[in-house]
Amino acid sequence: EVKFDSGVSRAYQIQGIIADGGGGNFLRFDSYSNGWGVMIFSAAFTNGYPVVKANRQISGGAPLYIKVRRVGDQWTQYYSYDGITWTTNVSFTHAINVKEAGIFAGNAGSYAPAYTALVDYFLNIVSQ
């Protein structure tokens, strides 16, 4: 779970969580701006090739919280504006040996806007 103190407002600012298996195998769970709205996004990359799992516009601006839950090979992405009420974005099955997980931020495009993500906290909660 991550709480961002920053939002995404200009095309193509992005911030989220990544689960990395190495060798171009990773999962992305994030929000980004397409210039006219905020999108909630998820993709699985295998050998560097993405398969988009969810990419939809949401109202209310960028979610300040993004949470990912893994049970076996089942992944579920949630987002929240207050850290109390969570909305499920997507749930899918994907086998990956995660070596690292963390937050990421970036920008893209021909005229990529400067962007710095501000993070309040990132929690990696492992069930025992």
Side-chain angles (χ1 to χ4, degrees):
E1 177 180 321
V2 61
K3 179 184 184 273
F4 289 101
D5 286 338
S6 54
V8 291
S9 59
R10 297 179 59 201
Y12 286 93
Q13 297 171 331
I14 181 174
Q15 59 189 19
I17 297 173
I18 190 165
D20 187 12
N25 300 302
F26 61 94
L27 303 173
R28 245 181 66 186
F29 305 93
D30 55 71
S31 64
Y32 72 92
S33 172
N34 60 13
W36 58 87
V38 174
M39 309 295 286
I40 192 80
F41 180 85
S42 177
F45 290 73
T46 302
N47 297 321
Y49 295 97
V51 173
V52 174
K53 302 296 184 175
N55 188 24
R56 63 185 182 91
Q57 189 167 348
I58 56 175
S59 61
L64 296 179
Y65 299 81
I66 296 176
K67 178 168 52 176
V68 176
R69 178 172 289 147
R70 178 186 190 180
V71 178
D73 291 336
Q74 187 70 26
W75 296 84
T76 305
Q77 177 190 24
Y78 307 88
Y79 65 94
S80 175
Y81 297 100
D82 59 12
I84 298 168
T85 303
W86 293 89
T87 301
T88 301
N89 179 46
V90 67
S91 187
F92 60 91
T93 301
H94 185 80
I96 185 172
N97 181 19
V98 176
K99 296 179 180 180
E100 299 178 293
I103 57 170
F104 76 98
N107 56 10
S110 300
Y111 300 99
Y115 184 65
T116 301
L118 301 174
V119 178
D120 183 2
Y121 65 81
F122 173 70
L123 298 174
N124 184 358
I125 304 167
V126 178
S127 298
Q128 299 298 328

